Amino acid sequence: MKNHYGVYSIYFNKKLVYIGKTSRNFYQRFSEYKSNMKYQGGKLYEEMRKFKDKSVNNKINCIPLISFDCEFDNISDRDLSCMEYALITYLKPRLNREGVIRKFHF
C-alpha cells in the first residue's frame, strides 16, 4: 500500500462533520481515530462516542479529500494547512473549531 497523505474528512452517516490534515498515511491516521475514540477527550472524540452510542447502525467514515503520494510529491506542512483551511472555511464542518469559530493556526 502506498503512503498517501493530505487532507481528509470525517462523516457521520454521510454528513460531513470534520476536516483535518495528516502528513502520515491516511489509513494509519484513520485507525488512530478509531482507537482514540474510545479513550481520548476533546470535542471530536466526545461527539464520535455519542454518535456511535445512539445506534449500532450509525456509521463513521474517514475519507481522503486531497491525497498526495509521499514518494513523488513534495508538499510542505504549510501547503497542507492552506488546503485544510480553505476546505474548512468553505464547508464549515460542525466539529471543526479552528477556521469556523476561532482563528485558524498555521
Side-chain angles (χ1 to χ4, degrees):
M1 180 184 335
K2 289 186 176 182
N3 191 17
H4 290 276
Y5 67 101
V7 181
Y8 61 89
S9 55
I10 296 178
Y11 289 83
F12 290 0
N13 287 342
K14 299 182 182 179
K15 182 175 169 115
L16 175 68
V17 295
Y18 185 80
I19 292 174
K21 68 174 173 124
T22 184
S23 54
R24 297 174 304 199
N25 185 291
F26 280 122
Y27 303 102
Q28 178 185 4
R29 183 68 180 119
F30 297 163
S31 54
E32 287 173 4
Y33 272 115
K34 282 186 176 183
S35 64
N36 289 345
M37 185 175 88
K38 296 174 186 167
Y39 310 107
Q40 292 291 324
K43 184 73 171 165
L44 176 60
Y45 292 118
E46 289 171 14
E47 290 294 321
M48 289 171 86
R49 281 191 294 277
K50 281 188 216 171
F51 178 75
K52 280 305 277 181
D53 289 345
K54 284 182 183 176
S55 170
V56 293
N57 295 323
N58 281 344
K59 301 282 185 242
I60 296 174
N61 294 313
C62 296
I63 300 170
L65 294 173
I66 301 173
S67 179
F68 298 99
D69 184 336
C70 292
E71 286 184 56
F72 301 107
D73 297 315
N74 186 19
I75 305 297
S76 73
D77 187 60
R78 182 158 176 87
D79 294 337
L80 281 179
S81 292
C82 289
M83 293 176 222
E84 176 191 25
Y85 178 59
L87 288 166
I88 290 170
T89 301
Y90 183 71
L91 298 171
K92 295 187 181 4
R94 74 178 180 86
L95 295 179
N96 280 94
R97 299 292 182 244
E98 283 188 38
V100 176
I101 61 172
R102 292 195 298 255
K103 183 178 176 179
F104 189 86
H105 291 98
F106 287 91

Short mmCIF file of all heavy atoms in Angstrom, two decimals, residues 6-8 18-22 65-66 77-91 93 96 98-99 104-106:
data_model
loop_
_atom_site.label_atom_id
_atom_site.label_comp_id
_atom_site.label_asym_id
_atom_site.label_seq_id
_atom_site.Cartn_x
_atom_site.Cartn_y
_atom_site.Cartn_z
N GLY A 6 -2.38 13.89 3.19
CA GLY A 6 -3.07 15.07 2.68
C GLY A 6 -4.18 15.54 3.60
O GLY A 6 -4.02 15.57 4.82
N VAL A 7 -5.33 15.90 3.02
CA VAL A 7 -6.47 16.43 3.75
C VAL A 7 -7.59 15.39 3.70
O VAL A 7 -7.85 14.81 2.65
CB VAL A 7 -6.94 17.77 3.15
CG1 VAL A 7 -8.12 18.34 3.92
CG2 VAL A 7 -5.79 18.78 3.12
N TYR A 8 -8.22 15.15 4.84
CA TYR A 8 -9.26 14.13 4.94
C TYR A 8 -10.51 14.70 5.60
O TYR A 8 -10.51 15.78 6.17
CB TYR A 8 -8.75 12.92 5.75
CG TYR A 8 -8.37 13.29 7.16
CD1 TYR A 8 -9.30 13.26 8.18
CD2 TYR A 8 -7.07 13.70 7.47
CE1 TYR A 8 -8.96 13.62 9.48
CE2 TYR A 8 -6.71 14.06 8.75
CZ TYR A 8 -7.67 14.02 9.75
OH TYR A 8 -7.33 14.38 11.03
N TYR A 18 -16.14 16.93 10.06
CA TYR A 18 -14.79 17.34 10.42
C TYR A 18 -13.86 17.24 9.22
O TYR A 18 -13.98 16.33 8.41
CB TYR A 18 -14.25 16.44 11.55
CG TYR A 18 -12.90 16.85 12.07
CD1 TYR A 18 -12.77 17.89 12.98
CD2 TYR A 18 -11.74 16.21 11.64
CE1 TYR A 18 -11.53 18.28 13.46
CE2 TYR A 18 -10.49 16.59 12.12
CZ TYR A 18 -10.39 17.62 13.03
OH TYR A 18 -9.17 18.01 13.49
N ILE A 19 -12.93 18.19 9.13
CA ILE A 19 -11.86 18.16 8.12
C ILE A 19 -10.54 18.32 8.85
O ILE A 19 -10.41 19.15 9.75
CB ILE A 19 -12.04 19.29 7.08
CG1 ILE A 19 -13.27 19.02 6.22
CG2 ILE A 19 -10.80 19.42 6.19
CD1 ILE A 19 -13.64 20.13 5.27
N GLY A 20 -9.56 17.50 8.48
CA GLY A 20 -8.24 17.57 9.08
C GLY A 20 -7.16 17.29 8.05
O GLY A 20 -7.45 17.01 6.90
N LYS A 21 -5.92 17.34 8.50
CA LYS A 21 -4.80 17.04 7.61
C LYS A 21 -3.88 16.05 8.31
O LYS A 21 -3.88 15.94 9.53
CB LYS A 21 -4.03 18.31 7.25
CG LYS A 21 -3.30 18.90 8.44
CD LYS A 21 -2.43 20.07 8.03
CE LYS A 21 -1.88 20.69 9.30
NZ LYS A 21 -0.49 20.79 9.40
N THR A 22 -3.13 15.34 7.52
CA THR A 22 -2.14 14.43 8.07
C THR A 22 -0.92 14.38 7.16
O THR A 22 -1.06 14.46 5.95
CB THR A 22 -2.69 13.01 8.31
OG1 THR A 22 -1.69 12.21 8.93
CG2 THR A 22 -3.14 12.35 7.02
N LEU A 65 -9.78 13.65 1.08
CA LEU A 65 -10.29 14.68 0.17
C LEU A 65 -9.23 15.09 -0.84
O LEU A 65 -9.52 15.28 -2.01
CB LEU A 65 -10.75 15.91 0.95
CG LEU A 65 -11.95 15.74 1.87
CD1 LEU A 65 -12.18 16.99 2.70
CD2 LEU A 65 -13.19 15.39 1.07
N ILE A 66 -8.01 15.28 -0.35
CA ILE A 66 -6.87 15.64 -1.20
C ILE A 66 -5.74 14.70 -0.82
O ILE A 66 -5.35 14.64 0.34
CB ILE A 66 -6.43 17.10 -0.99
CG1 ILE A 66 -7.58 18.06 -1.31
CG2 ILE A 66 -5.22 17.42 -1.85
CD1 ILE A 66 -7.29 19.51 -0.95
N ASP A 77 4.09 21.24 5.12
CA ASP A 77 3.04 21.26 6.12
C ASP A 77 2.18 22.52 5.95
O ASP A 77 0.97 22.48 6.12
CB ASP A 77 3.63 21.19 7.53
CG ASP A 77 2.55 21.04 8.58
OD1 ASP A 77 1.81 20.05 8.53
OD2 ASP A 77 2.43 21.95 9.43
N ARG A 78 2.81 23.63 5.61
CA ARG A 78 2.05 24.87 5.39
C ARG A 78 1.12 24.73 4.18
O ARG A 78 -0.01 25.20 4.21
CB ARG A 78 2.99 26.06 5.21
CG ARG A 78 2.21 27.36 5.02
CD ARG A 78 3.03 28.57 5.38
NE ARG A 78 2.32 29.78 5.10
CZ ARG A 78 1.48 30.39 5.95
NH1 ARG A 78 1.27 29.86 7.13
NH2 ARG A 78 0.88 31.49 5.63
N ASP A 79 1.60 24.07 3.12
CA ASP A 79 0.74 23.81 1.96
C ASP A 79 -0.50 23.02 2.38
O ASP A 79 -1.62 23.36 2.00
CB ASP A 79 1.49 23.02 0.87
CG ASP A 79 2.63 23.78 0.24
OD1 ASP A 79 2.63 25.03 0.28
OD2 ASP A 79 3.54 23.11 -0.29
N LEU A 80 -0.27 21.96 3.17
CA LEU A 80 -1.40 21.15 3.66
C LEU A 80 -2.34 21.99 4.52
O LEU A 80 -3.56 21.88 4.40
CB LEU A 80 -0.90 19.96 4.49
CG LEU A 80 -0.38 18.76 3.74
CD1 LEU A 80 0.11 17.71 4.74
CD2 LEU A 80 -1.42 18.17 2.83
N SER A 81 -1.77 22.83 5.38
CA SER A 81 -2.60 23.69 6.24
C SER A 81 -3.46 24.64 5.41
O SER A 81 -4.63 24.87 5.74
CB SER A 81 -1.73 24.49 7.20
OG SER A 81 -1.14 23.64 8.15
N CYS A 82 -2.91 25.18 4.34
CA CYS A 82 -3.68 26.08 3.47
C CYS A 82 -4.84 25.36 2.82
O CYS A 82 -5.96 25.89 2.74
CB CYS A 82 -2.77 26.69 2.40
SG CYS A 82 -1.60 27.89 3.03
N MET A 83 -4.60 24.13 2.36
CA MET A 83 -5.67 23.33 1.75
C MET A 83 -6.74 23.00 2.78
O MET A 83 -7.94 23.11 2.50
CB MET A 83 -5.09 22.06 1.15
CG MET A 83 -4.20 22.31 -0.04
SD MET A 83 -3.46 20.75 -0.59
CE MET A 83 -1.80 21.28 -0.91
N GLU A 84 -6.31 22.59 3.97
CA GLU A 84 -7.23 22.27 5.05
C GLU A 84 -8.07 23.49 5.40
O GLU A 84 -9.31 23.41 5.51
CB GLU A 84 -6.44 21.80 6.28
CG GLU A 84 -7.29 21.53 7.50
CD GLU A 84 -6.45 21.33 8.75
OE1 GLU A 84 -5.31 21.82 8.83
OE2 GLU A 84 -6.98 20.69 9.67
N TYR A 85 -7.42 24.64 5.57
CA TYR A 85 -8.12 25.87 5.94
C TYR A 85 -9.15 26.27 4.88
O TYR A 85 -10.28 26.65 5.21
CB TYR A 85 -7.12 26.99 6.16
CG TYR A 85 -7.74 28.32 6.48
CD1 TYR A 85 -8.55 28.47 7.60
CD2 TYR A 85 -7.52 29.42 5.68
CE1 TYR A 85 -9.13 29.70 7.90
CE2 TYR A 85 -8.08 30.65 5.97
CZ TYR A 85 -8.89 30.78 7.08
OH TYR A 85 -9.47 31.98 7.37
N ALA A 86 -8.77 26.15 3.61
CA ALA A 86 -9.70 26.51 2.52
C ALA A 86 -10.96 25.63 2.57
O ALA A 86 -12.08 26.14 2.46
CB ALA A 86 -9.00 26.37 1.17
N LEU A 87 -10.77 24.34 2.77
CA LEU A 87 -11.92 23.43 2.83
C LEU A 87 -12.78 23.68 4.08
O LEU A 87 -14.01 23.65 4.01
CB LEU A 87 -11.45 21.98 2.76
CG LEU A 87 -10.94 21.55 1.39
CD1 LEU A 87 -10.20 20.23 1.47
CD2 LEU A 87 -12.10 21.45 0.40
N ILE A 88 -12.15 23.93 5.21
CA ILE A 88 -12.89 24.22 6.44
C ILE A 88 -13.70 25.50 6.27
O ILE A 88 -14.88 25.56 6.64
CB ILE A 88 -11.95 24.33 7.66
CG1 ILE A 88 -11.39 22.95 8.01
CG2 ILE A 88 -12.67 24.95 8.86
CD1 ILE A 88 -10.26 22.99 9.03
N THR A 89 -13.07 26.53 5.72
CA THR A 89 -13.74 27.82 5.53
C THR A 89 -14.94 27.68 4.59
O THR A 89 -16.00 28.26 4.83
CB THR A 89 -12.75 28.86 4.97
OG1 THR A 89 -11.68 28.98 5.89
CG2 THR A 89 -13.40 30.21 4.78
N TYR A 90 -14.78 26.90 3.55
CA TYR A 90 -15.84 26.75 2.56
C TYR A 90 -16.97 25.83 3.05
O TYR A 90 -18.14 26.15 2.93
CB TYR A 90 -15.26 26.20 1.25
CG TYR A 90 -16.26 26.08 0.15
CD1 TYR A 90 -16.79 27.21 -0.46
CD2 TYR A 90 -16.70 24.83 -0.26
CE1 TYR A 90 -17.74 27.10 -1.47
CE2 TYR A 90 -17.64 24.70 -1.26
CZ TYR A 90 -18.16 25.84 -1.86
OH TYR A 90 -19.09 25.72 -2.86
N LEU A 91 -16.62 24.70 3.66
CA LEU A 91 -17.61 23.69 4.03
C LEU A 91 -18.13 23.81 5.46
O LEU A 91 -19.20 23.29 5.77
CB LEU A 91 -17.03 22.29 3.81
CG LEU A 91 -16.64 21.98 2.36
CD1 LEU A 91 -15.88 20.67 2.27
CD2 LEU A 91 -17.89 21.96 1.47
N PRO A 93 -17.49 22.43 8.56
CA PRO A 93 -17.94 21.24 9.31
C PRO A 93 -18.19 21.60 10.77
O PRO A 93 -17.45 22.39 11.35
CB PRO A 93 -16.75 20.28 9.20
CG PRO A 93 -15.86 20.83 8.15
CD PRO A 93 -16.14 22.29 8.06
N ASN A 96 -15.28 21.19 13.48
CA ASN A 96 -14.05 21.98 13.37
C ASN A 96 -14.25 23.28 14.15
O ASN A 96 -15.27 23.93 14.02
CB ASN A 96 -13.71 22.32 11.92
CG ASN A 96 -13.05 21.18 11.20
OD1 ASN A 96 -13.73 20.40 10.54
ND2 ASN A 96 -11.74 21.08 11.31
N GLU A 98 -11.21 25.54 14.75
CA GLU A 98 -10.30 26.47 14.05
C GLU A 98 -10.80 26.69 12.63
O GLU A 98 -11.12 25.75 11.92
CB GLU A 98 -8.88 25.91 13.99
CG GLU A 98 -8.14 26.02 15.28
CD GLU A 98 -6.68 25.65 15.15
OE1 GLU A 98 -6.07 25.97 14.11
OE2 GLU A 98 -6.16 25.01 16.08
N GLY A 99 -10.87 27.94 12.25
CA GLY A 99 -11.33 28.28 10.91
C GLY A 99 -12.83 28.47 10.82
O GLY A 99 -13.34 28.92 9.81
N PHE A 104 -7.77 30.29 12.58
CA PHE A 104 -7.02 29.10 12.16
C PHE A 104 -5.53 29.34 12.39
O PHE A 104 -5.03 30.40 12.08
CB PHE A 104 -7.27 28.83 10.67
CG PHE A 104 -6.74 27.52 10.20
CD1 PHE A 104 -7.49 26.36 10.31
CD2 PHE A 104 -5.47 27.44 9.63
CE1 PHE A 104 -6.99 25.15 9.87
CE2 PHE A 104 -4.97 26.24 9.18
CZ PHE A 104 -5.73 25.08 9.30
N HIS A 105 -4.84 28.36 12.96
CA HIS A 105 -3.40 28.49 13.20
C HIS A 105 -2.62 27.67 12.19
O HIS A 105 -2.85 26.47 12.06
CB HIS A 105 -3.05 28.03 14.63
CG HIS A 105 -3.57 28.96 15.65
ND1 HIS A 105 -4.75 28.72 16.33
CD2 HIS A 105 -3.09 30.14 16.09
CE1 HIS A 105 -4.96 29.73 17.16
NE2 HIS A 105 -4.00 30.60 17.04
N PHE A 106 -1.72 28.34 11.50
CA PHE A 106 -0.88 27.67 10.50
C PHE A 106 0.37 27.13 11.16
O PHE A 106 0.91 27.63 12.05
CB PHE A 106 -0.49 28.64 9.39
CG PHE A 106 -1.65 28.93 8.48
CD1 PHE A 106 -2.48 30.00 8.73
CD2 PHE A 106 -1.89 28.11 7.39
CE1 PHE A 106 -3.55 30.26 7.91
CE2 PHE A 106 -2.96 28.38 6.55
CZ PHE A 106 -3.78 29.45 6.81
#
